[in-house]
Structure formats: C-alpha cells, structure tokens
Amino acid sequence: MCLAIPMKVLSINGETAEVDQGGVRLEVSLMVIDVMPRVGDYVLVHAGFAIKCMDPESAAETLALLNELIREPRPGGERFETY
C-alpha cells in the first residue's frame, strides 16, 4: 500500500524543499510535482518526493483522517503502530 502525507513547505532550494509535519522535517525532491509550491504551501509527500500541491483545508482534512485511523482499534482490538 502506498501512502502520501501532507507536509508544509518550510523552504525551497532549487529542486528540493524542506517540509514539516508534526515536527518531523524532511528534505524532499520537487522533480515530479504537478505545480511548483511556494514556502507555506502544503504538498503530498511520498517516498522522498513531493507529488502534488494541496490547499490548506484539504491537507488538514487528510491529516485529521489519518490521525483518526491511527487512534481507532483494528478488528480484534489491536491499534496501528505509530513510529
């Protein structure tokens, strides 16, 4: 299963950007993104690549859904592991 996470762009340096989500900062490639982001924009990040720009409302909604999935028990009472 593939999963892309919305992250906020902190800085851009050529074809890379520093992004943040919940205090986790990454340097990601901008080589495959649909529209070049600006600092403060949200991007979907997958496997080290920013793949799509997102509006802040969609990013917040997606993050809320992901957090809900993490908190909800799976069948059998198990919870998803977070790292």
Side-chain angles (χ1 to χ4, degrees):
M1 177 172 81
C2 296
L3 179 66
I5 305 293
M7 300 186 84
K8 188 172 186 174
V9 176
L10 301 177
S11 65
I12 297 173
N13 184 12
E15 292 186 342
T16 62
E18 183 180 11
V19 295
D20 175 87
Q21 175 48 51
V24 175
R25 291 185 177 198
L26 301 172
E27 187 172 303
V28 298
S29 173
L30 299 173
M31 293 181 68
V32 297
I33 196 154
D34 58 343
V35 175
M36 193 57 68
R38 294 182 295 200
V39 172
D41 286 349
Y42 283 84
V43 293
L44 274 176
V45 175
H46 172 69
F49 289 89
I51 59 174
K52 182 172 179 58
C53 284
M54 298 184 78
D55 62 78
E57 294 80 18
S58 294
E61 181 180 350
T62 301
L63 290 168
L65 289 170
L66 289 172
N67 284 326
E68 185 177 321
L69 283 173
I70 290 168
R71 286 192 301 267
E72 290 297 316
R74 297 188 306 193
E78 299 173 30
R79 293 192 182 276
F80 287 100
E81 293 293 322
T82 57
Y83 301 95

